[in-house]
Amino acid sequence: MKTRLRVVDCLLEVHDARIPFSGRNPLLKEALSIRPHLLVLNKMDLADLTHKSRILEQLERQGLKHVLFTDCLKDENIKEILPLVTKLISNSERYQRAENVESCLMVIGVPNVGKSSVINSMRRLHLRKGKASRVGGTPGITKAVLTKIQVCERPLMFLLDTPGVLSPQIGSVETGLKLALCGTIRDHLVGEEIIADYLLYTLNHQQQFSYVERYGLTSPCDDVESVLKSIALYLGKTNRIRVRTGTGDVTVRAPNYNAAACDFIYSFRKGHLGKVMLDQA
């Protein structure tokens, strides 16, 4: 990424709107800070933005003056990216690129926050063209810094998609759980049932009880094992196991806790459990 900086005019950092403060890789900004910078907080449709102004104030105190909330599924606020970066580029030194009529942005951020989706959304709006970057629901879809991808004709603008890069040291266990819950860390590295436990704690703490109705529970519950058992039975996610008794082996059906945890997490990531803000301003 650093070797491609000579052709880059501005950095477009994409992050998950549900965790505007947690998990952003400080090493990326330090290594690439010689260029103008716009922070795009994507997946705003999944985030509780009740205190959006406080979030923006705190980000500004951290030195981030240019922040935009977006939703790639509906192309919401995507059209605002181009005027913002054009202004940032025009107000900055372009070094050896002053004679170039084209502009180039480098899209950076942690895995699975929607970097490729932002690129495809910009192409869809400005060029009426389809996907140029692969997207997916798991981290690690983009493997290398790609060649320049055109996203606009007038002004002539290109983007460089890059792999998601996590900080080598995650600040705290809770930050790691937030990243895992938002899908920036592969589930099996943390454990689906551990992620589900943190999700249940978060929903109860924020009094988001839509999971009760979704999974046919009688009331909110703090015990993740009990909740996962209820989810498994509600969804029919059970395993046949052999149990040895005093009169011989019998086959019984047991709840599949892992399958229940996966469905619980999936429902959260799709917004079926309500809008949530994992970081508090």
Side-chain angles (χ1 to χ4, degrees):
M1 290 165 66
K2 290 174 78 172
T3 61
R4 301 299 298 274
L5 267 183
R6 60 185 177 80
V7 300
V8 172
D9 299 299
C10 183
L11 299 178
L12 195 66
E13 180 187 356
V14 182
H15 200 59
D16 194 308
R18 294 167 293 184
I19 44 173
F21 314 119
S22 294
R24 292 178 52 241
N25 190 341
L27 298 180
L28 283 178
K29 187 65 173 69
E30 290 171 15
L32 310 173
S33 60
I34 60 173
R35 294 291 186 267
H37 178 265
L38 171 65
L39 174 61
V40 174
L41 292 173
N42 195 34
K43 305 184 183 182
M44 62 179 284
D45 55 310
L46 303 176
D48 179 3
L49 299 180
T50 305
H51 304 294
K52 179 179 174 181
S53 58
R54 293 205 326 232
I55 292 169
L56 291 172
E57 287 171 8
Q58 187 164 329
L59 287 170
E60 187 169 359
R61 287 195 293 271
Q62 296 176 5
L64 290 157
K65 296 182 180 180
H66 308 288
V67 182
L68 186 65
F69 288 86
T70 62
D71 171 13
C72 289
L73 293 178
K74 297 180 180 177
D75 294 332
E76 193 169 352
N77 292 343
I78 296 294
K79 279 191 174 180
E80 295 183 32
I81 293 176
L82 204 61
L84 272 170
V85 296
T86 302
K87 184 178 179 181
L88 286 172
I89 292 170
S90 65
N91 291 337
S92 67
E93 286 287 343
R94 296 192 71 199
Y95 303 95
Q96 287 79 34
R97 291 175 49 75
E99 302 302 319
N100 284 37
V101 294
E102 68 184 52
S103 299
C104 184
L105 313 179
M106 181 180 282
V107 185
I108 63 173
V110 301
N112 203 30
V113 290
K115 297 184 295 297
S116 297
S117 295
V118 168
I119 292 175
N120 293 332
S121 185
M122 291 179 71
R123 280 174 59 83
R124 188 163 56 245
L125 286 171
H126 298 295
L127 293 177
R128 306 297 179 194
K129 291 187 178 180
K131 295 179 180 179
S133 285
R134 290 176 60 208
V135 298
T138 56
I141 294 296
T142 304
K143 300 291 186 183
V145 179
L146 302 180
T147 54
K148 292 194 295 186
I149 302 167
Q150 185 176 355
V151 290
C152 189
E153 187 70 44
R154 296 182 181 178
L156 186 57
M157 187 167 290
F158 296 85
L159 296 183
L160 284 175
D161 195 7
T162 65
V165 183
L166 275 170
S167 175
Q169 289 185 327
I170 296 174
S172 67
V173 171
E174 186 166 13
T175 296
L177 287 168
K178 290 176 182 179
L179 288 168
L181 185 52
C182 291
T184 65
I185 300 173
R186 291 184 181 273
D187 292 346
H188 71 274
L189 296 177
V190 177
E192 289 85 355
E193 292 177 41
I194 293 173
I195 300 171
D197 193 7
Y198 180 70
L199 171 57
L200 181 63
Y201 159 77
T202 301
L203 293 174
N204 287 338
H205 182 68
Q206 298 187 13
Q207 297 189 333
Q208 291 267 26
F209 301 130
S210 56
Y211 71 90
V212 174
E213 182 179 353
R214 180 171 179 81
Y215 292 114
L217 278 66
T218 55
S219 63
C221 178
D222 289 324
D223 180 22
V224 70
E225 186 174 347
S226 175
V227 170
L228 291 181
K229 180 179 180 180
S230 297
I231 292 174
L233 295 175
Y234 181 79
L235 298 175
K237 304 284 188 181
T238 58
N239 293 325
R240 291 168 62 90
I241 61 172
R242 293 181 69 83
V243 178
R244 180 164 294 177
T245 69
T247 57
D249 292 351
V250 294
T251 301
V252 298
R253 287 203 163 275
N256 187 332
Y257 289 94
N258 186 262
C262 289
D263 193 273
F264 192 33
I265 296 165
Y266 175 84
S267 295
F268 166 77
R269 290 175 181 165
K270 289 297 182 180
H272 300 321
L273 303 180
K275 296 185 177 185
V276 174
M277 175 58 65
L278 298 175
D279 283 341
Q280 300 302 314

